[in-house]
Amino acid sequence: MNDKISLAHGDGGELAHRLIQDVFVKAFGHNEQAKFDSALLVLHSNRIAVTTDSFTINPLFYPGGDIGKLAIAGTVNDLAVSGATPKYLTAGFIIEEGFSMSDLKKIVDSMAGEAKKAGVSIVTGDTKVVERGNADGIFINTTGIGLIDDEMSLDPNKMQVGDSIIIGGTIGDHGVAILSARGELGIQTNVKSDCSILNHMIDDVLRTVKSVRIMRDPTRGGLATTLVEICDDFNVTMELYETALPIRQEVEGVCDLLGYEAFYLANEGKVIFIVGQEEEEKVLSILRQHEIGKEASVIGKVVGKDKGRLYLKTPLGTTRRLDRLSGILLPRIC
Amino acid sequence: MNDKISLAHGDGGELAHRLIQDVFVKAFGHNEQAKFDSALLVLHSNRIAVTTDSFTINPLFYPGGDIGKLAIAGTVNDLAVSGATPKYLTAGFIIEEGFSMSDLKKIVDSMAGEAKKAGVSIVTGDTKVVERGNADGIFINTTGIGLIDDEMSLDPNKMQVGDSIIIGGTIGDHGVAILSARGELGIQTNVKSDCSILNHMIDDVLRTVKSVRIMRDPTRGGLATTLVEICDDFNVTMELYETALPIRQEVEGVCDLLGYEAFYLANEGKVIFIVGQEEEEKVLSILRQHEIGKEASVIGKVVGKDKGRLYLKTPLGTTRRLDRLSGILLPRIC
């Protein structure tokens, strides 16, 4: 087999067959279902969550992860924050002619490792190859199916004044790590992406905390955009305490220098919980038992219904309305 | 809203939000589930089929279809040939900066129309935008979920000597239409792609024919590659009658001229049935009641077990072994 991906690897013929056998089946495990055009699955619940994401991140390898790890974590996390137990993933690859076979193997191995950690199976896939210059290395789509059990109690409509907003840890790490890896910051940083699967930690919370109203993972658009979406969709007003936001010093430094705001930067291993205030301590203590949740913090609260606005309480005591991210360009962050 | 896609349409912020509302939700229907990171579904069966496909076809618009129609039909057909009733699709878009908003709308409308015809819902999606020069217009991933009912009787292990191989119509139309639209044939043709959904026609067959062993849709790699895969996976030997293959005269002409073989050219609206010989007439008569099945034909039979080979019986009466497509380059045919 060649050391570069060629157009023939994508034409459905002999080379495509060998690529599937030698790279994908080898990493993802042999699958009887590879004999069919679809994976056939028997589910243990008829309530499911389905989510899809395409990953075009640049660079493909970055401090803290790579596109393969991200493609698994991103989709697993979308299912987990929906209250589902992630079970099955599909993987669709669009590869540029000439792409390094060894990089492809690294990415696929990274996907297999992360899928194993998350407890999900990659059940079916697809590979397309486009001519040199018509893609940028590799793009990956993962679509996930998760099962929802009958006791799932998330209900965003139960959000009420006084509910606590909790974030699983520091914000903006992924955004800064990627911009830094691309050399776009003009400065060096040691910030690593927070890219990681969240499903086990979330599971621990949901098992004992009954007042979680909604969860989200604040990826593109950052914490602020995600909260604005919740406010907008469910007509609640929230207040965010700027001084309570967990932000690494280096991320803070980059923001100060370049005029970014950390709450608009992408995260790939963070979860937002909106939870009854009476259970905020319980949530924090569960999160902090996890390495990735050590810096979990209460960062705000629900202050009203019916308006759908997000306010930031600044260190000066003033209040500023936040909207969705707009006007700064952070493309291909995921 | 701009008339071109910009990087900000993919950053998860304000413009991305408006793109989703003004283009996707408008075409695919309003969806309460857009408020969550996943679509939440209640299934009426716990046996499902899942399939994924990325579409990178060039050109995006071609005689007989466009990338949007193809992205729906391709995934719907993969589910249908697995014996499932296609129900839910996800749609992931990777768009090149500068792509025409009106072309995007055309493509999305085409998807919506085809999904409606097929009876499937597009339940969740994702949009990424990459910088100019890092993709070729638009790539679309669709992942599909179909339900399998308890009476589904497909069983490829029941294939036996004497079983008939039936094709739903003429072969090679899609391949020739695309190569022609790209100007790669050096000649003009009027051949249209056969791109179309197959689920209703397949459903009609399965409702009355009980001896269907396996179905496949011969897309990339064509009829021969698909049959080789079946032979290989299930250890059966098949004979294909070259004179029985339904091929349009123009497709035949292109093949003669350029040295292609129609059974290696892609199809996007054809289904192969392997069926008990006693029911071949029944299958043909059902297929021929459908506009897209008018030229359905018996094209070969299963002649042995345990060898896993595909033979072509030529018009001269000689026999030639066929293997997977290799050595000719037909990239981005789907």
Side-chain angles (χ1 to χ4, degrees):
Chain A
M1 180 173 279
N2 242 314
D3 62 345
K4 301 270 183 208
I5 291 289
S6 71
L7 289 174
H9 282 112
D11 69 3
E14 184 58 34
L15 265 188
H17 173 71
R18 281 167 54 196
L19 178 69
I20 292 169
Q21 294 302 318
D22 297 350
V23 178
F24 297 114
V25 171
K26 206 166 163 185
F28 299 152
H30 184 61
N31 196 330
E32 266 305 295
Q33 295 160 343
K35 295 181 183 177
F36 301 92
D37 278 344
S38 309
L40 306 180
L41 307 171
V42 178
L43 307 179
H44 297 293
S45 167
N46 66 343
R47 289 178 68 201
I48 66 171
V50 180
T51 189
T52 192
D53 245 317
S54 296
F55 298 88
T56 61
I57 193 165
N58 168 27
L60 298 174
F61 300 90
Y62 51 84
D66 59 66
I67 190 173
K69 181 182 183 187
L70 179 64
I72 301 298
T75 293
V76 161
N77 293 346
D78 278 348
L79 293 172
V81 297
S82 304
T85 304
K87 291 296 267 187
Y88 306 107
L89 297 188
T90 64
F93 298 87
I94 297 173
I95 311 177
E96 184 185 7
E97 177 189 14
F99 190 67
S100 144
M101 188 67 79
S102 73
D103 279 352
L104 177 63
K105 284 181 182 160
K106 261 188 246 167
I107 290 166
V108 166
D109 285 344
S110 171
M111 291 176 77
E114 204 65 12
K116 195 174 172 195
K117 271 191 354 206
V120 299
S121 306
I122 297 166
V123 292
T124 190
D126 174 59
T127 307
K128 294 291 179 339
V129 180
V130 299
E131 312 88 337
R132 209 178 291 267
N134 283 324
D136 189 18
I138 186 169
F139 302 142
I140 303 176
N141 175 283
T142 49
T143 300
I145 297 177
L147 303 186
I148 299 175
D149 78 27
D150 289 336
E151 280 148 47
M152 203 274 280
S153 59
L154 294 181
D155 183 357
N157 296 309
K158 286 195 182 149
M159 275 190 282
Q160 54 180 271
V161 173
D163 281 356
S164 301
I165 307 169
I166 294 173
I167 183 85
T170 54
I171 58 172
D173 299 1
H174 181 74
V176 167
I178 299 307
L179 294 175
S180 171
R182 288 209 292 244
E184 286 182 11
L185 294 182
I187 49 168
Q188 284 283 347
T189 78
N190 293 311
V191 179
K192 277 189 186 171
S193 166
D194 56 344
C195 177
S196 77
I197 54 162
L198 295 166
N199 57 321
H200 301 308
M201 185 171 79
I202 287 174
D203 202 38
D204 281 355
V205 171
L206 291 188
R207 224 172 314 135
T208 50
V209 178
K210 292 303 159 203
S211 68
V212 177
R213 324 290 190 198
I214 188 172
M215 297 178 287
R216 292 290 294 270
D217 61 329
T219 55
R220 274 185 295 180
L223 174 68
T225 303
T226 306
L227 288 176
V228 168
E229 280 170 6
I230 298 176
C231 291
D232 215 27
D233 288 341
F234 300 101
N235 285 313
V236 295
T237 294
M238 295 177 181
E239 213 169 65
L240 208 56
Y241 313 131
E242 192 166 359
T243 53
L245 298 175
I247 307 176
R248 280 182 210 291
Q249 222 173 354
E250 275 198 280
V251 171
E252 190 91 65
V254 167
C255 287
D256 287 348
L257 208 64
L258 302 177
Y260 292 154
E261 294 181 293
F263 44 74
Y264 283 122
L265 294 178
N267 312 278
E268 288 294 344
K270 292 298 164 342
V271 50
I272 300 167
F273 294 89
I274 314 288
V275 62
Q277 206 234 316
E278 68 285 3
E279 290 196 298
E280 68 172 42
E281 280 304 324
K282 208 198 265 185
V283 175
L284 288 177
S285 86
I286 296 169
L287 295 178
R288 288 175 183 161
Q289 285 161 27
H290 289 260
E291 194 51 43
I292 55 171
K294 287 258 176 292
E295 309 197 57
S297 309
V298 175
I299 55 170
K301 62 181 175 190
V302 175
V303 295
K305 305 262 289 179
D306 295 329
K307 269 219 199 133
R309 292 189 180 164
L310 176 67
Y311 293 103
L312 182 74
K313 226 161 169 116
T314 71
L316 303 173
T318 58
T319 294
R320 171 184 151 206
R321 185 167 170 199
L322 297 181
D323 214 327
R324 290 181 171 78
L325 170 70
S326 82
I328 52 167
L329 284 183
L330 304 169
R332 297 183 62 191
I333 211 85
C334 61
Chain B
M1 180 174 275
N2 242 313
D3 62 344
K4 301 268 182 208
I5 291 290
S6 71
L7 289 172
H9 283 111
D11 69 3
E14 183 58 33
L15 264 187
H17 173 71
R18 281 167 53 196
L19 179 68
I20 292 170
Q21 294 302 318
D22 297 350
V23 178
F24 298 114
V25 171
K26 204 164 162 187
F28 299 152
H30 184 61
N31 195 331
E32 266 305 295
Q33 295 158 342
K35 295 181 182 177
F36 301 93
D37 278 345
S38 309
L40 306 179
L41 307 171
V42 178
L43 306 180
H44 297 293
S45 166
N46 66 342
R47 290 178 68 202
I48 65 171
V50 181
T51 190
T52 191
D53 246 317
S54 296
F55 298 87
T56 62
I57 192 166
N58 168 28
L60 298 174
F61 300 90
Y62 51 84
D66 59 66
I67 189 173
K69 182 181 183 187
L70 179 64
I72 301 299
T75 293
V76 161
N77 292 348
D78 279 348
L79 293 172
V81 296
S82 304
T85 303
K87 291 296 267 187
Y88 305 107
L89 298 188
T90 65
F93 297 87
I94 297 173
I95 310 177
E96 184 185 8
E97 178 188 15
F99 190 68
S100 143
M101 187 67 79
S102 74
D103 280 352
L104 176 63
K105 284 181 182 161
K106 262 188 245 167
I107 290 166
V108 166
D109 284 343
S110 172
M111 292 176 77
E114 204 65 10
K116 194 174 171 197
K117 269 187 2 200
V120 299
S121 306
I122 297 166
V123 292
T124 188
D126 175 59
T127 308
K128 295 290 178 342
V129 180
V130 299
E131 312 87 337
R132 210 179 290 266
N134 283 325
D136 189 18
I138 186 168
F139 302 143
I140 302 176
N141 176 284
T142 49
T143 300
I145 298 177
L147 303 186
I148 299 176
D149 79 28
D150 289 337
E151 280 149 46
M152 203 275 280
S153 59
L154 295 181
D155 183 359
N157 295 309
K158 286 195 181 148
M159 274 190 283
Q160 53 180 270
V161 173
D163 281 355
S164 301
I165 306 170
I166 294 173
I167 183 84
T170 55
I171 58 171
D173 299 1
H174 182 74
V176 167
I178 299 307
L179 294 174
S180 172
R182 289 209 290 245
E184 287 182 11
L185 295 181
I187 48 167
Q188 285 283 347
T189 78
N190 293 311
V191 179
K192 277 190 185 170
S193 166
D194 57 344
C195 176
S196 77
I197 54 162
L198 295 166
N199 57 322
H200 301 306
M201 185 171 78
I202 287 174
D203 202 39
D204 280 355
V205 172
L206 292 188
R207 224 171 314 134
T208 50
V209 178
K210 291 304 160 203
S211 69
V212 177
R213 323 293 188 196
I214 186 171
M215 296 177 288
R216 292 290 293 271
D217 61 329
T219 55
R220 275 186 294 180
L223 174 68
T225 303
T226 305
L227 287 176
V228 168
E229 280 170 7
I230 298 177
C231 290
D232 215 28
D233 288 340
F234 300 101
N235 286 313
V236 294
T237 294
M238 294 177 182
E239 215 168 67
L240 208 55
Y241 314 130
E242 192 167 357
T243 53
L245 297 175
I247 307 177
R248 279 182 210 289
Q249 222 173 353
E250 276 199 280
V251 171
E252 190 91 65
V254 166
C255 287
D256 287 348
L257 208 65
L258 301 176
Y260 292 155
E261 294 180 294
F263 45 73
Y264 283 122
L265 294 179
N267 311 279
E268 289 294 343
K270 291 299 165 339
V271 49
I272 299 167
F273 295 88
I274 314 289
V275 61
Q277 205 234 315
E278 69 284 4
E279 290 195 298
E280 67 172 42
E281 280 304 324
K282 207 198 267 187
V283 175
L284 288 178
S285 86
I286 296 169
L287 295 177
R288 287 175 183 160
Q289 285 163 27
H290 290 259
E291 194 51 44
I292 55 171
K294 287 259 176 289
E295 310 198 57
S297 310
V298 176
I299 55 170
K301 62 181 174 189
V302 175
V303 295
K305 304 263 290 181
D306 294 330
K307 271 218 197 127
R309 291 187 180 164
L310 176 67
Y311 294 104
L312 182 75
K313 216 124 191 143
T314 72
L316 303 171
T318 60
T319 294
R320 173 186 151 204
R321 186 169 169 196
L322 297 182
D323 214 327
R324 288 181 173 79
L325 170 70
S326 81
I328 51 165
L329 284 183
L330 304 170
R332 299 183 60 191
I333 210 84
C334 60

